[in-house]
Amino acid sequence: MKTILIIEDERDLAELVAFNLEKEGYQTVTVFDGASGLEAARIRNPDLIILDLMLPGVMGIDVCKMLKKSEKTATIPVIMLTARGEEIDRVVGFEVGADDYVVKPFSARELLLRVKAVLRRSLPDKPEGKILSIGPVTIDTARHQVVVSGEEVVLTTTEFKLLLNLAERLGRVQSRDLLLKNVWGYNYVGDTRTVDTHVTRLRTKLGPAGDLIRTVRGFGYKMEEP
């Protein structure tokens, strides 16, 4: 049974989200402020976190930043849940490590579909495992591990799948729409900025090796040998 941590200060909404998730067979843990959410994430190690942007005390953006900086919680997928739906808010959410973004008001069906999609992306693609080496970058699919110049780089599940998708198609240009389909697993109509934001974050984590990911202006991205 998958465990989902809900960090939401609106108690009625938190209870409604928990109710719908539990009907689908998930186990839920609910807290109502950022500090408690951080503690629960570290203790319970949930499979997914639903995180409100506007929280008392520690804001949702800061909670997400701290989760992604901690080795213990960095790979837990996060869905941002917020009443703020402007593009800049979505971009900021993705920049700090969120895997998806749901704007209030939303339907229970929409949230459940997104939860299932994010959890599905967190599953390993190839249980048999393989190792890809491109310049200083080594990708171990069985261990879900990326090493750059001998140092392990901690990536979120989405970042790992994005890197793997580009590496497996070395030298071939991938459009933003195709990356959305292959990495995110469902339609993000009109939201290709999601790809740009994740590529930027991935390049930063890879350091100088991030230059292996090339931008094809007006189309998408490709990964090339150094």
Side-chain angles (χ1 to χ4, degrees):
M1 182 182 293
K2 299 287 187 182
T3 299
I4 298 177
L5 171 62
I6 303 164
I7 310 174
E8 166 62 67
D9 64 322
E10 295 182 45
R11 290 178 180 261
D12 289 346
L13 178 58
E15 290 171 3
L16 180 61
V17 170
F19 172 76
N20 282 285
L21 289 171
E22 288 168 6
K23 278 205 309 180
E24 292 295 311
Y26 299 108
Q27 180 177 356
T28 65
V29 178
T30 304
V31 296
F32 305 106
D33 63 81
S36 299
L38 285 168
E39 183 179 8
R42 291 163 184 155
I43 293 173
R44 301 297 295 268
N45 191 31
D47 297 284
L48 182 145
I49 297 172
I50 295 177
L51 173 64
D52 186 28
L53 182 63
M54 304 298 290
L55 291 169
V58 185
M59 294 285 285
I61 288 290
D62 295 319
V63 171
C64 195
K65 286 180 182 177
M66 286 184 270
L67 288 170
K68 296 304 176 180
K69 286 181 180 178
S70 170
E71 186 174 341
K72 185 176 177 62
T73 58
T75 60
I76 302 173
V78 175
I79 295 178
M80 283 278 192
L81 193 66
T82 176
R84 299 173 63 179
E86 292 83 359
E87 182 182 17
I88 185 62
D89 294 317
R90 295 198 301 274
V91 170
V92 169
F94 289 132
E95 283 178 343
V96 298
D99 293 85
D100 204 349
Y101 200 104
V102 181
V103 179
K104 303 174 185 175
F106 55 88
S107 69
R109 177 175 171 77
E110 177 191 5
L111 180 61
L112 289 170
L113 286 173
R114 290 179 181 258
V115 165
K116 289 176 181 177
V118 171
L119 287 173
R120 187 167 57 247
R121 295 204 302 268
S122 70
L123 297 174
D125 287 324
K126 296 175 175 60
E128 75 278 5
K130 65 180 180 180
I131 295 177
L132 298 174
S133 293
I134 303 168
V137 179
T138 300
I139 306 168
D140 186 333
T141 63
R143 300 175 64 187
H144 205 276
Q145 183 183 63
V146 174
V147 175
V148 179
S149 301
E151 297 289 331
E152 183 176 358
V153 177
V154 178
L155 301 181
T156 66
T157 299
T158 303
E159 290 164 354
F160 182 87
K161 290 201 170 188
L162 176 58
L163 176 62
L164 182 60
N165 189 276
L166 291 167
E168 288 179 329
R169 297 159 178 80
L170 193 64
R172 288 155 45 189
V173 181
Q174 306 296 301
S175 71
R176 290 173 174 84
D177 288 335
L178 186 59
L179 286 169
L180 284 170
K181 178 182 176 182
N182 290 339
V183 177
W184 278 260
Y186 62 100
N187 198 8
Y188 265 82
V189 176
D191 205 8
T192 53
R193 286 283 306 269
T194 300
V195 176
D196 299 333
T197 303
H198 278 80
V199 168
T200 298
R201 200 169 70 231
L202 178 58
R203 281 172 170 159
T204 299
K205 289 189 175 183
L206 295 177
D211 291 340
L212 297 174
I213 301 174
R214 306 291 179 85
T215 301
V216 180
R217 190 172 300 277
F219 190 74
Y221 299 93
K222 65 179 178 177
M223 193 168 185
E224 293 184 334
E225 290 277 7

